[in-house]
Amino acid sequence: QEAMAQCPVCELLVAAAAVDAHVNAHFDDGHSAGGGGGGGGGRRPPLLRQTRLPFGHPPPAAAATAPTSARCGARRDREEFVCASVVCDGCGVANFLPRYRCTVCTDYDLCQACRNRGAETLKHKASHPLTKVNLPAAPTPDGYLGSSRTSGVTTLLREYYNAREDLSRNLAFSIADHTDHFASAPEDKGWGCGYRNIQMLCSFLLRVPVFREVLFGGRGEVPSISELQMYIESAWAQGFDPEGSRMLGRCIVGTHKWIGATECIALLCANRVRCRLVEFHRPTRPPNEHPALFEWVWAYFHGGKHCGGAGGGLREYAPLYLQYQGHSRTVVGVDRKRPDGEIRLLILDPSTSKEQMAISAGLCSGSSRCNLRAFRRTTSSLHAQQYQIVMVEGVLSLEEQLAHKVIVSERVPPD
């Protein structure tokens, strides 16, 4: 009898050999991605993150050719490192490395100190063999960013629109100021898109003096993924987003846990950046389209949703963090045919490689032409049931910061 597995998105039972392809189909543009419910008006928004099987893993054809033992080993590794916080069964400490797993006892782990002293419990004996389990070493911040960063992508886009007479004459457009693209690297493929989009947003914010002063202790540099994990845990320790902290086991450093819009907001608010979470909680046009989201983004980039009010310090419009079930992206602008044509979002996607981004942005030798198709998205290409947008509004005073520890959302359309 053929082995079956449950899809973590739609809970449908499918053949185990086909589950990877089935899950990936949920996250291809043009397919529904499911999504949680509830949230809004004074309540915590639903958690929209990547699913239990990571976005961006090898295609089914490649996976099918790998030896069975290798596929099972890779799956075990993912499950070990994406699990909730592991606690040492000898002393109770959490979030520890290296980890020593007993090969005799079920679900029994020891930290280095307990392993060295030969810790024993009712079920575990010091004579039991242990296997060392460790996460890959985190790359240095400079190496991590340099291998994935393409600088000034939105500046190139804006210059291209302005230089092309046919575009500037026929299109209305607005693009965020200098924002860099951060591509997923081999070290974070399948789980790091949320962090990469935070890096893109921070690449803009750190060029605005009022944000540069408050972000990350004034260091002025975009943090690596491992550093972002530490900042998120620090935000939780200060009381920001207590429910999200609880749901992720209050531990994220050194793990491959997936994050979403609420972790982005917790991190930024803990650094005194005022944010708003806008939840597009249902499609507003059949079959699964969100024209209300596109109209909202258009208004944002054209002054209707200004984010530079009192104390904001923004003359330009910050990029938007766009989250949906399974993936996240960064919206850096919009365009539409004059006078009232179809709105198209201009998007930076972490799943676009650094090499492909260089081609799309016209950075390759002998090329000065941007490939706009690589950035544009229409209503017909975004078909998730729900979307969340993180919008930066300004700087929080110390008094205001206390009121932003519990995250609530604005719902569009209103209930």
Side-chain angles (χ1 to χ4, degrees), residues 155-184:
T155 301
L156 293 170
L157 271 174
R158 179 182 289 176
E159 290 174 352
Y160 184 72
Y161 271 86
N162 286 325
R164 286 278 302 273
E165 184 178 347
D166 58 327
L167 293 180
S168 58
R169 182 178 64 249
N170 298 321
L171 295 176
F173 62 91
S174 183
I175 301 172
D177 204 359
H178 194 116
T179 304
D180 302 338
H181 175 259
F182 287 81
S184 296

Side-chain angles (χ1 to χ4, degrees), residues 146-159:
S147 64
S148 64
R149 186 176 197 164
T150 303
S151 296
V153 173
T154 58
T155 301
L156 293 170
L157 271 174
R158 179 182 289 176
E159 290 174 352

